[in-house]
């Protein structure tokens, strides 16, 4: 089999440099397999050879669609194809270049409008590229040097320290307190401690602590990495590959308009066939048949509909942008209105992505901490309602055994340590002054094996050790525990009590740290023999204050909310319960054990999916889509991007979101507020309601026009149609266009967020709506044909003009009918849309120009009418309003 090129090499060659499961291999064994001495690094010549084989350490770019394909896609719809045929018949066969030119102009207008709105290159992979480190420190030829990150190869030894972005996937060789923020890739909010100790077996990506991954940020310590994968073979490269393979989903509105176009095209074809048979049977010539065929083709197609939909959605985008929701793709505006499930990320979406102290346990009592993030606003209160004692010893240890700096609510350092500094600040402690007056003389850095950190400070004649770390570890090391009457020995009974408090805080979904101190006179940094456990501190990434209300509003609107996160199941479940998300919990490993049918059943009852990889997120979204759900996916990390693109609508966070997620999403929340989604849903439902109104309006016009042309050809032997093709174009584009645009700005109904989402398969024109359209159409047909017959006594031009005016005025009355399907047109909505009345006035003025201006008379074959003619036309046209008012009155009497 022929090898496939990968980044300039063949797949067969590049696989020689890849290693499987590096997280479970010993570092020495891995170095041997990659043929490198970690103490010396690769030779420069060897690195060059490997670069030829593996290719540059960069992500492949997705090919963007050429502009001409985007433009062709705008005019390749069934609606437009019917117009193309009509223009060809008019221009080539009938030699009527005037009609062909006008039809071509309408096609061009619709195509350009759609092209301008839809011409967006897919920059998601380009954004992934921008996340790569521009350079990296490596050991080559026995010395440390700096090389472009793109030149890294498997086998390179990379040196990283706090603040660096990891330039490639690598096996950890050695560490000094190395921690990395992998939230963008795995979704886990807390930095991950890295170790050279291998992890055995198949473990989830967030648990591969012996690996560091490209684009992760080193938050603490330093370390050495042995590069195992570069470019598209890294974990982030797999995400980029998922993006390339993920197809964007057509929205419900797009699918329904496609179906509508096909049906109207069929209707036009049937009408042309019927008329042609009747004309030939009556002895008509080929010219008459072609004239009617062109007129019917124009009559069947709502030429203004694509432009009206595009402009209405664009106006909706502007309104939503003012509400802090930026929509990048037009059809996504209405998709939110049909959404049945919102799959939301946890970190940074439902939570603040800022570790915060929430609970304290000190001297046998529990305390609660208020305030969000790294601001010092907040307070400490006793859970039992009593007075809060002096917590100085507890908070002093938390602040001194700490390297983080918090200033003006901004953190520099580890998020957990930042939460402890913020806690001290809420209690009024000046951490900077405390550190200045009580300087550190030595320390035991945090180590993932020890699971604690200790700093040593002068305390009178002795040295005081301040210790913080995992609660279970310090509980084992401590000899005493702080009680309200002093320090007491930590016997088995008191250990059980502390463990009970530990379980209590963990049950709240909090990460628990213990703090302890003790005095020593040892000259070396060792823990004192007498170590007092001062207290416990519970921390979590808190839910956004407004998230619970937003989730409740989603439920009231019939929208299910599911959390999909890379964090631990216990933490995710706790946050889910706090914001009101119900249902079972499931991990990524659980998903792997289920086939598609079993997963389809499980997603119905599952509210929390934890410890998931990007592949799991896409599989969940695809499963929901197969069930018939309309899926919105929110997220902010790199790991969310493929699922954002796979969902019907992807929603990215504008502040904390990665460039990748913003490019893959269809909508961006500029305030990172989950509640903004609810406002966007309201806007989406309102826009869809308004689209239904003007689709009813324009399709009603087309049905009436088709029936008028068909019945007119049967009733009148004038050798011409009741309405000419240009008259029908005028009606569809000019007379219907501005009022339909004004309908798109109708205010929302009061109950729009108290109704369940419309069914994904629901037709934009249901059977009931089609029946009402047909009834109104028959009234308009009868009136137009009567007007044509009334004018025939005075000549064909008068008949054409009177029918033309009557048909246009019919539209001015009918638009009042479609504003509400049950309420009277004379109700509270009558004057609420000033733009609609302005549009109706403008159409009437233009119609007068079409009748009386000489140039317009020449173009449309019209002639001047008398005042009585206008009164007759208006009286006839108003009948559609009275007929619909009667139908609504009968409808309202029914339960």
């Amino acid at each position: 089999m022929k090898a496939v090129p990968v980044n300039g090499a063949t797949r067969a060659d590049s696989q020689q440099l890849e290693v499987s499961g590096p997280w479970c291999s010993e570092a020495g064994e891995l170095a041997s397999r990659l043929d490198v001495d970690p103490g010396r690094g690769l030779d420069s010549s060897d690195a060059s050879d490997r670069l030829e084989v593996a290719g540059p350490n960069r992500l492949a770019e997705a090919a963007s669609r050429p502009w001409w394909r985007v433009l062709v896609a705008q005019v390749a719809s069934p609606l437009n194809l019917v117009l193309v045929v009509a223009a060809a018949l008019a221009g080539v066969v009938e030699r009527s270049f005037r009609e062909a030119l006008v039809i071509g102009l309408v096609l061009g207008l619709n195509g350009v409008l759609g092209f301008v709105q839809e011409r967006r290159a897919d920059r998601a992979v380009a954004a992934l590229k921008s996340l790569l480190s521009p350079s990296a420190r490596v050991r080559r030829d026995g010395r440390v040097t700096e090389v472009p990150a793109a030149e890294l190869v498997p086998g390179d030894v990379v040196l990283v320290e706090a603040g660096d972005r990891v330039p490639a996937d690598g096996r950890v060789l050695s560490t000094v307190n190395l921690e990395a923020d992998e939230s963008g890739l795995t979704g886990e909010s807390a930095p991950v401690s890295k170790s050279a100790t291998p992890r055995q077996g198949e473990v989830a990506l967030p648990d591969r602590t012996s690996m560091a991954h490209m684009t992760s940020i080193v938050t603490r310590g330093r370390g050495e990495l042995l590069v195992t994968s570069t470019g598209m073979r890294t974990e982030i490269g797999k995400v980029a590959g998922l993006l390339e393979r993920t197809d964007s989903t057509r929205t419900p509105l797009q699918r329904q308009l496609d179906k509508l176009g096909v049906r109207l095209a069929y209707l036009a074809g049937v009408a042309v066939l019927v008329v042609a048979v009747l004309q030939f049977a009556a002895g008509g010539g080929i010219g008459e048949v072609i004239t009617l065929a062109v007129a019917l083709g124009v009559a069947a197609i709502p030429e203004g509909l694509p432009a009206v939909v595009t402009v209405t959605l664009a106006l909706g985008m502007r309104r939503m942008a003012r509400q802090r929701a930026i929509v990048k793709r037009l059809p996504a505006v209405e998709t939110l209105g049909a959404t049945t499930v919102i799959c939301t990320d946890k970190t940074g979406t439902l939570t603040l992505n800022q570790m915060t102290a929430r609970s304290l346990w000190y001297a046998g009592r529990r305390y609660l901490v208020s305030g969000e993030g790294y601001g010092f606003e907040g307070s400490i209160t006793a859970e039992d309602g009593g007075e809060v004692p002096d917590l100085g010893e507890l908070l002093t240890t938390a602040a001194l055994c700490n390297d983080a700096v918090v200033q003006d609510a901004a953190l520099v350092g580890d998020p957990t340590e930042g939460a402890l500094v913020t806690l001290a600040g809420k209690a009024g402690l000046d951490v900077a002054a405390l550190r200045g007056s009580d300087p550190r003389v030595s320390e035991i850095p945090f180590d993932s094996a020890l699971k604690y950190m200790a700093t040593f400070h002068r305390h009178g004649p002795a040295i005081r050790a301040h210790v913080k770390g995992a609660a279970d570890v310090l509980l084992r090391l401590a000899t005493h525990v702080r009680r309200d009457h002093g320090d007491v020995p930590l016997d088995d009974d008191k250990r059980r009590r502390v463990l009970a408090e530990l379980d209590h805080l963990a049950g709240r979904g909090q990460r628990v740290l213990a703090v302890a101190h003790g005095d020593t006179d040892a000259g070396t940094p060792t823990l004192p023999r007498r170590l007092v456990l001062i207290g416990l501190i519970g921390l979590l990434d808190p839910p956004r204050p407004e998230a619970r209300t937003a989730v409740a509003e989603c439920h009231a609107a019939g929208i299910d909310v599911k959390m999909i996160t890379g964090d631990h199941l216990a933490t995710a479940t706790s946050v889910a319960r706090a914001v009101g998300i119900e249902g079972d919990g499931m991990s990524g490993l659980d998903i792997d054990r289920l086939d598609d049918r079993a997963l389809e059943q499980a997603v119905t009852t599952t509210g929390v999916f934890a410890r998931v990889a990007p592949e799991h997120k896409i599989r969940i979204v695809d499963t929901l889509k197969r069930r018939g759900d309309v899926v919105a996916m929110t997220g902010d990390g790199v790991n969310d991007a493929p699922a954002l693109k796979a969902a019907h609508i992807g929603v990215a966070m504008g502040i904390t979101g990665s460039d990748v997620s913003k490019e893959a999403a269809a909508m961006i929340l500029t305030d990172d507020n989950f509640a903004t989604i609810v406002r966007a849903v309201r806007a989406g439902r309102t826009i869809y309601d308004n689209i239904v109104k003007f689709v009813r309006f324009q399709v009603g016009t087309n049905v009436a026009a088709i029936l008028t042309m068909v019945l007119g050809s049967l009733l009148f032997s004038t050798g011409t149609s009741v309405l000419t093709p240009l008259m029908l174009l005028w009606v569809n584009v000019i007379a219907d266009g501005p009022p339909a645009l004004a309908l798109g700005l109708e205010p929302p109904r009061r109950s729009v967020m108290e109704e369940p989402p419309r069914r994904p398969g629901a037709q934009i024109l249901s059977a009931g709506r089609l029946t009402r359209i047909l009834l109104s159409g028959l009234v308009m047909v009868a009136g137009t044909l009567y007007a044509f017959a009334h004018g025939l006594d005075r000549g064909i031009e008068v008949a054409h003009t009177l029918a033309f005016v009557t048909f246009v005025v019919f539209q001015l009355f009918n638009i009042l009918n479609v504003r509400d399907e049950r309420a009277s047109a004379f109700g509270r909505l009558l004057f609420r849309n000033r733009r609609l009345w302005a549009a109706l006035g403008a159409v009437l003025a233009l119609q007068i120009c079409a009748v009386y201006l000489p140039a317009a008379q020449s173009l449309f074959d019209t002639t001047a009418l008398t005042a009585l003619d206008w009164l007759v036309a208006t009286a006839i046209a108003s009948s559609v309003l009275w007929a619909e008012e009667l139908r609504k009155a009968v409808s309202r009497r029914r339960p």
Side-chain angles (χ1 to χ4, degrees):
M1 182 180 293
K2 185 179 179 180
V4 181
V6 178
N7 286 349
T10 66
R11 189 177 302 277
D13 290 337
S14 63
Q15 284 177 344
Q16 296 174 7
L17 297 177
E18 293 185 32
V19 288
S20 59
W23 60 87
C24 59
S25 301
E26 292 290 345
E29 175 195 347
L30 198 60
S32 177
R33 285 159 60 188
L34 287 170
D35 194 20
V36 62
D37 175 8
R40 175 178 172 78
L42 294 174
D43 293 336
S44 296
S45 58
D46 188 11
S48 298
D49 292 341
R50 295 184 185 215
L51 186 61
E52 288 291 324
V53 175
N57 179 35
R58 63 170 65 105
L59 301 178
E61 294 187 37
S64 59
R65 286 191 304 168
W67 66 268
W68 59 270
R69 284 192 176 180
V70 178
L71 185 58
V72 168
Q74 301 304 316
V75 297
S77 69
L79 292 176
N80 287 333
L81 291 177
V82 173
L83 288 179
V84 169
V85 173
L89 287 173
V92 178
V93 181
E94 198 183 355
R95 302 292 180 181
S96 179
F97 298 107
R98 182 178 59 179
E99 279 82 358
L101 178 62
V102 174
I103 294 172
L105 288 174
V106 171
L107 277 171
L109 174 63
N110 288 336
V112 169
L113 276 174
F115 175 80
V116 169
Q117 294 295 341
E118 296 295 333
R119 178 68 172 129
R120 294 180 181 275
D122 189 351
R123 297 189 299 271
V125 176
L128 277 166
K129 283 183 60 184
S130 72
L131 291 177
L132 291 174
S133 302
S135 62
R137 289 190 304 127
V138 300
R139 183 178 293 123
R140 286 185 181 175
D141 301 315
R143 56 188 177 87
V144 175
T145 184
E146 194 166 288
V147 300
E151 296 180 7
L152 288 179
V153 295
D156 261 324
V157 178
V158 177
L159 286 69
V160 294
E161 59 185 21
D164 288 348
R165 192 182 294 275
V166 178
D169 283 6
R171 173 67 163 82
V172 177
L173 295 176
S174 63
T175 72
V176 179
N177 309 319
L178 182 65
E179 292 185 0
D181 178 4
E182 297 180 339
S183 60
L185 181 61
T186 67
E188 184 160 356
S189 53
V192 180
S193 296
K194 297 299 179 181
S195 167
T197 306
R199 295 298 306 269
Q200 296 303 319
E202 286 295 326
V203 293
L205 182 62
D207 298 322
R208 297 174 189 173
T209 53
S210 58
M211 294 291 296
H213 299 289
M214 179 188 282
T215 74
S216 299
I217 298 174
V218 179
T219 59
R220 184 177 187 177
R222 61 183 184 275
E224 293 186 4
L225 313 175
L226 178 62
V227 174
T228 56
S229 300
T230 59
M232 294 297 290
R233 292 177 294 278
T234 62
E235 293 298 331
I236 201 72
K238 294 174 185 177
V239 174
L242 287 172
L243 278 173
E244 289 181 339
R245 296 194 299 272
T246 303
D247 294 327
S248 297
T249 303
R250 291 183 68 76
T251 69
L253 179 64
Q254 287 175 316
R255 294 196 299 268
Q256 291 191 39
L257 290 179
D258 288 345
K259 290 180 181 178
L260 177 63
V262 171
R263 288 172 180 171
L264 288 174
Y266 282 145
L267 181 60
V270 171
V272 169
L273 184 62
V274 169
V275 170
V277 170
L278 292 173
Q279 285 291 323
F280 283 130
I286 186 66
E288 294 176 6
V289 172
I290 290 175
T291 299
L292 283 171
V294 172
L296 280 168
V298 173
I301 305 304
E303 288 84 2
L305 182 60
V308 169
V309 170
T310 298
V311 174
T312 300
L313 293 175
L315 292 174
M317 288 173 66
R318 289 178 55 187
R319 288 201 305 272
M320 292 172 74
R322 289 195 292 268
Q323 297 177 359
R324 301 181 177 180
I326 297 175
V327 179
K328 294 166 52 185
R329 298 166 195 159
L330 282 180
V333 175
E334 62 82 28
T335 308
L336 276 170
T339 298
T340 58
V341 178
I342 296 178
C343 297
T344 175
D345 187 33
K346 175 184 73 70
T347 305
T349 307
L350 291 171
T351 68
L352 292 169
N353 198 17
Q354 296 180 339
M355 197 62 75
T356 304
R358 272 284 179 257
S359 305
L360 300 176
W361 180 80
Y362 173 76
R365 292 175 65 194
R366 298 171 179 171
Y367 302 89
L368 301 176
V369 185
S370 63
E372 309 292 343
Y374 300 120
F376 291 163
E377 300 80 11
S379 60
I380 302 173
T381 57
E383 194 172 295
D384 57 15
E387 291 189 7
V388 178
D390 182 8
L391 302 173
E393 281 191 306
L394 175 71
L395 300 179
T396 295
T397 295
L400 290 179
C401 187
N402 197 313
D403 293 321
V405 176
V406 176
Q407 191 168 7
D408 299 327
L411 168 68
V412 178
D414 179 79
T416 298
E417 293 193 336
L420 300 180
V421 172
T422 303
L423 174 64
K426 290 176 181 178
L429 210 62
D430 188 336
V431 176
L434 177 65
R435 290 174 177 174
S437 62
D438 200 355
R440 186 183 303 181
V441 296
S442 187
E443 68 178 288
I444 299 176
F446 179 84
D447 183 89
S448 57
L450 295 175
K451 294 187 177 180
Y452 70 80
M453 171 185 179
T455 59
F456 299 84
H457 307 255
R458 296 205 175 276
H459 187 70
I463 298 293
R464 172 153 292 183
H466 295 286
V467 189
K468 77 171 190 302
D472 57 333
V473 173
L474 262 62
L475 185 60
R476 187 173 65 250
L477 295 174
T479 59
H480 291 71
V481 62
R482 175 62 48 85
R483 304 296 292 176
D484 55 354
H485 54 276
D487 300 336
V488 298
L490 190 57
D491 56 25
D492 290 342
D493 179 60
K494 293 182 176 58
R495 288 183 195 277
R496 282 193 294 270
R497 293 185 185 181
V498 176
L499 283 172
E501 291 300 324
L502 175 60
D503 292 340
H504 172 74
L505 294 176
R508 293 179 173 179
Q510 297 176 7
R511 178 187 177 195
V512 185
L513 287 181
V515 292
H517 71 197
D519 294 339
T520 179
D521 54 6
T524 57
T526 57
L527 293 184
R529 287 188 294 272
R530 185 181 189 274
L531 187 63
V532 181
L533 181 68
I534 308 173
L536 304 175
I537 302 174
L539 306 104
L540 53 74
D541 180 11
R544 292 180 176 274
E546 63 280 355
R548 186 175 185 86
T549 301
V551 170
E553 289 188 67
C554 287
H555 289 160
I559 301 171
D560 193 12
V561 181
K562 298 182 184 296
M563 178 192 292
I564 305 179
T565 178
D567 215 337
H568 293 280
L569 182 58
T571 304
T573 302
S574 175
V575 173
R577 299 298 175 262
V579 299
I581 297 176
E582 302 296 336
D584 302 329
M586 179 181 290
S587 70
L589 292 176
D590 295 330
I591 295 173
D592 289 334
R593 299 187 187 103
L594 300 177
D595 58 24
D596 289 345
R597 179 174 295 182
L599 182 60
E600 193 168 320
Q601 294 175 343
V603 295
T604 305
T605 58
T606 303
V608 178
F609 297 91
R611 239 38 188 162
V612 296
E615 295 88 346
H616 295 135
K617 296 186 179 187
I618 292 179
R619 193 176 170 205
I620 293 167
V621 170
D622 288 343
T623 300
L624 290 169
K625 286 161 63 177
R626 282 198 307 273
R627 283 198 328 168
D629 285 304
V630 176
V631 185
M633 170 78 187
T634 75
D636 62 351
V638 173
N639 61 326
D640 297 320
L644 290 176
K645 191 174 180 182
H648 290 101
I649 177 168
V651 184
M653 302 296 121
I655 299 174
T656 60
S658 66
D659 288 345
V660 186
S661 64
K662 293 174 189 175
E663 291 300 328
M667 187 172 83
I668 301 171
L669 306 183
T670 60
D671 59 356
D672 284 16
N673 192 337
F674 186 82
T676 302
I677 298 176
V678 179
R679 293 193 293 271
V681 168
R682 180 188 298 274
R685 290 188 174 190
T686 301
I687 289 168
Y688 185 82
D689 272 0
N690 293 340
I691 288 175
V692 169
K693 291 175 186 177
F694 64 68
V695 167
R696 284 178 54 207
F697 172 62
Q698 291 208 308
V699 172
T701 300
N702 295 119
V703 169
I706 291 172
L707 293 176
T708 298
M709 303 304 293
V710 172
L711 293 177
S713 67
L714 294 174
L715 296 175
F716 305 106
S717 301
T718 59
T720 182
S721 56
V722 174
L723 298 171
T724 67
L726 287 185
M727 287 177 178
L728 291 169
L729 274 176
W730 172 272
V731 172
N732 283 341
V733 178
I734 305 301
D736 281 5
L741 279 175
L743 275 181
L745 300 174
E746 288 275 278
R749 292 181 292 108
R750 293 175 181 174
S751 61
V752 72
M753 287 299 288
E754 298 171 4
E755 303 166 356
R758 66 182 184 274
R759 290 182 296 105
Q763 296 299 313
I764 196 169
L765 294 178
S766 62
R769 286 172 181 155
L770 286 172
T771 301
R772 292 191 286 275
I773 287 172
L774 183 60
L775 290 175
S776 297
L778 290 174
V779 173
M780 289 189 278
V781 169
T784 304
L785 292 178
Y786 176 80
F788 184 78
H790 181 72
L792 269 180
D793 294 340
R794 294 152 57 193
I796 190 65
E797 281 194 340
V798 173
H800 270 147
T801 306
L802 190 57
F804 182 30
V805 169
T806 302
F807 196 75
V808 168
V809 179
F810 261 127
Q811 311 315 311
L812 305 188
F813 283 109
N814 191 42
I815 201 166
L816 301 178
N817 290 331
V818 302
R819 297 179 74 189
D820 197 297
E821 295 186 276
R822 288 179 62 85
S824 169
F826 300 100
R828 63 182 183 86
L829 285 176
L830 184 60
F831 296 112
R832 284 191 64 187
N833 190 344
R834 291 177 294 178
R835 294 182 182 87
L836 177 60
W837 288 101
L840 295 179
V843 168
L844 187 58
L846 290 171
Q847 186 63 29
I848 292 172
C849 293
V851 171
Y852 293 106
L853 290 181
Q857 290 177 339
S858 175
L859 181 65
F860 294 106
D861 297 325
T862 56
T863 187
L865 296 179
T866 66
L868 181 60
D869 290 332
W870 281 93
L871 285 174
V872 170
T874 303
I876 294 172
S878 68
S879 61
V880 75
L881 177 62
W882 310 126
E884 181 66 3
E885 282 296 302
L886 179 61
R887 186 204 63 79
K888 288 179 180 179
V890 173
S891 175
R892 287 194 297 270
R893 288 181 177 274
R894 296 174 182 169

